[in-house]
Amino acid sequence: MKLSAELKEFETRIGHVFANPALLTRAVTHASMSSPTREDNQRLEFLGDRVLGLVMAEALFAGDASATEGQMAPRFNALVRKEACADVARDIGLGEVLRLGRSEMVSGGRRKNALLGDAVEAVIAAVYLDAGFAAARDMILRLWGTRIGQVEEDARDAKTALQEWAQARKMAPPRYVETQRSGPDHAPVFTIAARLDTGAQALATAGSKRQAEQAAAKALLADLENSK
C-alpha cells in the first residue's frame, strides 16, 4: 500500500517511516469515514492511550527521583489529557491529514480537541504496532518535548485547586454557570462564571465548557490570592 504525498510528509513530521503504511492510513481515518472495507482508528486510539500513559509515567518517574505519587499524578494528568494531545496534534499538522466524513468536515472536525487528541493516540498505537515500544516511546518524547520538563510543579487543574481552597475554609464547592454562548453550532464559544458562596466570582471565555470552567477557576484563584 502506498501513502499519499500528504501522509508521506506527515511521516517526516513525526519522524517515523512506516514499514506497514496501512497502519498510518487507519490511524488517520475517523469513524465518520469508516465502512465495511475501511477500518477507523477507534481501536488504535484505545491502545495508544495506554502506550502514551506508560511512556509519560516512566518519564515522570525517571525525571524526578524525589517526587511523591501525589506530585506525579497531577503532572501525569496534565500531560496525557485530551487538550495536551490536541496541542501536539496541531504542532504536527495532524488535522490536515485526517480522513473525515462529511458531517465532521462541516462541523469543523479538524479543529476539535477530542477528535485531534484521539487521533494522536491512534498514531501512537500505529507506531507501536509497526515498530515496537521503543519507537513509540522515542516519538512520544520527541513530540511532547519540553512539555514534559516544564509541566507545572503543582499541575492540579484549577477547578480542583479552587475546590480545595473552598473546602479548606469550610465553604460550599464552587459553582460554574454558563452566562453566555455565542458563535456557530460547529464552533461555539462559552462564557462561564466561577462563583463562591461569598459572592466572589470570575468570568472566562473559551471554545469548550471545560476550558472556560478551568480558565474561570484559575482567574478566581488569582483574584483570591491578590486580595490577601
Side-chain angles (χ1 to χ4, degrees), residues 175-183 187-195 201-217 219:
R175 292 179 296 117
Y176 297 89
V177 180
E178 181 182 324
T179 62
Q180 185 178 349
R181 176 173 176 166
S182 59
V189 176
F190 301 91
T191 298
I192 300 289
R195 294 173 177 167
Q201 74 166 19
L203 297 172
T205 300
S208 76
K209 284 187 177 181
R210 183 185 184 283
Q211 289 175 319
E213 289 174 355
Q214 290 286 352

Side-chain angles (χ1 to χ4, degrees), residues 29-35 38-40 99-102:
T29 301
H30 185 257
S32 61
M33 272 290 284
S34 65
S35 73
R38 185 190 297 121
E39 291 185 288
D40 62 46
R99 298 185 172 192
L100 305 175
R102 178 171 174 76

Side-chain angles (χ1 to χ4, degrees), residues 12-96:
T12 300
R13 293 200 292 274
I14 65 173
H16 179 78
V17 176
F18 281 81
N20 180 2
L23 283 167
L24 177 57
T25 300
R26 182 179 167 192
V28 299
T29 301
H30 185 257
S32 61
M33 272 290 284
S34 65
S35 73
T37 58
R38 185 190 297 121
E39 291 185 288
D40 62 46
N41 63 8
Q42 289 182 313
R43 280 174 55 83
L44 289 176
E45 171 206 336
F46 171 83
L47 177 60
D49 176 61
R50 276 69 186 172
V51 176
L52 173 62
L54 177 56
V55 170
M56 287 304 167
E58 183 183 72
L60 290 170
F61 185 85
D64 186 350
S66 65
T68 65
E69 186 277 339
Q71 291 172 314
M72 288 189 290
R75 297 176 194 172
F76 174 86
N77 292 334
L79 290 167
V80 303
R81 63 191 178 201
K82 278 291 184 278
E83 289 83 357
C85 292
D87 284 343
V88 171
R90 294 186 181 95
D91 287 348
I92 59 178
L94 178 51
E96 301 164 16

Side-chain angles (χ1 to χ4, degrees), residues 10 13-14 81-98 109-124 143-144 147:
F10 182 73
R13 293 200 292 274
I14 65 173
R81 63 191 178 201
K82 278 291 184 278
E83 289 83 357
C85 292
D87 284 343
V88 171
R90 294 186 181 95
D91 287 348
I92 59 178
L94 178 51
E96 301 164 16
V97 300
L98 288 179
R110 297 187 192 281
R111 301 187 301 274
K112 292 179 180 177
N113 276 350
L115 193 151
L116 289 171
D118 290 347
V120 161
E121 291 169 349
V123 169
I124 290 169
L143 297 184
W144 262 252
R147 291 177 177 86

